[in-house]
Amino acid sequence: MIKELFTNDYGPDGFRTCSVTGMRIDRTAENFVKIFGLTAVVALVMGGISAILVVLTRWEVVGLLPPDAFYNWLSVHAWNLLIFWMVFMEVAILYVGGPMVLGRKLPAPKLAMVGYVLMLVSAIGINWSIMTTSAPDQAPLLTSYAPLPSSEWFYLSAIVFILGTVIAALPFFAAIWQEKIEHPNRSLPLVAFGAFITAIIAVEALLGGLITYIPTYMWRIGLIEHIDAAWYRQMYWIIGHGSQQINLAAMVTVWYFLTHVVGGAEVVSEKVSRSAFILYLFFINMGAAHHLMADPALAASWKVWNTSYAAYGAVLASMIHAFAIPAGLEAGRRKRGAGKSLFGWLWSAPWGNPVFSAVIFSIILFGFMGGITGVLMGQMQLNLAWHNTWATVGHFHATVVLGTTMTFMGLVFFVIQTMFKKELIMAPLARIQPWFYSGFMALATLMMMYLGILYGIPRRHASVMDIPGTDFNFGAAEPLFVIFGIAALLAIVGGILFAGISVGSLLFGKKLEPSSVFRPAASWTGDGSAVHLQSMRGTFTFTLIFLAVFVIAYILNWYLLSRLWEIG
């Protein structure tokens, strides 16, 4: 059965042509996409199991775990969902965006295998080191802030994981280099270009990780006597925030790919979209400074420059993508006669296809919840109300879960049907899974933000209703905790649905001809007019709605900030 998963109708040259995308796909590249993707889903399951324990502890009506066990499982949750699930998927995306889109063989497949083995072994090592943490070591959470010590095996495994990821990315860079050597005057397709920018951002973040973790490991095993905590915080966020910016760039790349293949979108202006990717390259990691807004070791001018000036270059890039992708979907579908009214192009879209609905929900929820809150908490003054509260956790659940995870879930459903050629089992449940998961996760995320902003609930404490020795009492927030707990558990049920459908489809799904589910891209014909001549009034209306929500959220946050310390 396992062998069957890696079998396909390849020609004597090792290539096949995808009946949906029209891409010429190399056997080796496709097999590595499957291997990295399957490993990512395993990490997602591990992170989902830990999510159950974390939710049932933070919902204090249950209060499942004692503090030490809570921090261990919270660390497992963070590393599996913020790092392993994402990075394994992103290497798979590089192999799609590079060799597959370019119709090339995967260069240096042995390097890909070495990188995969190092990543897998070190991911297991990090999980093991976290679960066996004992005093005086501390569970690392995601930040592993020095001088709080964690297991030396944790630091060593983190270094090996970073090195493995760099090695796994090398075949992608080799494919790009080969393409430019053979076709020096040919532009990379937009998806390959987005993957290329993603890979450069990844290298920057990974180098930051090595600069951070190698000295920290040497300090932990006694080769270095002292490690400067302020230096560690500064260096850590190169990879701490950078790794999440890899998610962002990879996610946007997948948005362009899947809205085109599944929804019939076209790129209205490649120059504009490519310019937005380049803005990411120069400015995206500046936003890392918003993690250090309350850090007394850094000058205010440094913080303001990074978060209130330079980081807006990345915000501008996201605004461009946020307009370009829906506009491409609207213009592409109007060109093909799909919908004449203001939103007819959207209502007539394939909402019953979980690939499409997952991607569209991720675009909407990432923009309205993750994007807006990211700008708000990145401003120095408003950050005072957000810093180290549960609202921060809500923000990165809006970006990483509602944005990236939803996108990657859609991509996994797409890969199952087009690369494994397996029919999704439990089809009615598969259709509602993106609606169910995104709906309840959005509600849980909203509660985290409310609890953080309105009540100042701290982000990392296992219990907050009664903190011994303090006057703090968050009892008034209890009703919102109930809503959070129920919504989070139902969102986990949505995650279980995703894992069950994915694994079940691979094991028990019927053999499928992908073109029977997805309309072949080559068959998307239109009226012959240029895409930029199509009306985009629907997208313009959405943009006005987004702007209104942004302004309201901005004013509301300033009002709440003004209420923190009443004068007189």
Side-chain angles (χ1 to χ4, degrees), residues 416-436:
I416 288 172
Q417 295 174 92
T418 57
M419 292 190 188
F420 290 101
K421 295 187 176 179
K422 290 283 191 173
E423 190 176 278
L424 295 180
I425 63 168
M426 300 185 287
L429 288 178
R431 280 195 289 274
I432 67 167
Q433 189 276 334
W435 302 71
F436 189 89

Side-chain angles (χ1 to χ4, degrees), residues 266 268 327 330-337 339-340 526-537:
E266 290 193 17
V268 178
E330 179 177 4
R333 293 186 63 77
R334 286 191 189 281
K335 179 181 173 182
R336 296 167 178 101
K340 301 292 185 184
D527 57 10
S529 60
V531 67
H532 66 271
L533 297 179
Q534 301 296 324
S535 169
M536 295 172 227
R537 60 187 187 279

Side-chain angles (χ1 to χ4, degrees), residues 476-492:
E478 197 164 352
L480 294 182
F481 267 105
V482 174
I483 300 174
F484 160 77
I486 295 172
L489 289 176
L490 288 171
I492 291 171

Side-chain angles (χ1 to χ4, degrees), residues 51-86:
I52 299 172
L53 304 176
V54 169
V55 167
L56 291 179
T57 304
R58 290 233 59 169
W59 186 13
E60 290 182 57
V61 172
V62 182
L64 184 65
L65 298 176
D68 53 347
F70 170 74
Y71 290 121
N72 283 353
W73 281 106
L74 185 60
S75 302
V76 170
H77 180 66
W79 277 86
N80 280 278
L81 293 184
L82 282 171
I83 303 297
F84 305 143
W85 152 243
M86 298 289 168

Side-chain angles (χ1 to χ4, degrees), residues 254-316:
V254 175
W255 285 351
Y256 279 107
F257 177 68
L258 287 182
T259 54
H260 169 68
V261 173
V262 184
E266 290 193 17
V267 180
V268 178
S269 170
E270 285 220 8
K271 287 182 180 177
V272 171
S273 295
R274 288 172 190 267
S275 300
F277 275 117
I278 291 174
L279 284 173
Y280 276 159
L281 185 62
F282 289 105
F283 297 113
I284 193 72
N285 217 19
M286 299 291 189
H290 76 250
H291 294 278
L292 302 169
M293 285 292 195
D295 194 320
L298 300 173
S301 58
W302 184 91
K303 299 172 191 173
V304 171
W305 160 250
N306 276 275
T307 59
S308 293
Y309 291 94
Y312 289 155
V315 174
L316 174 62

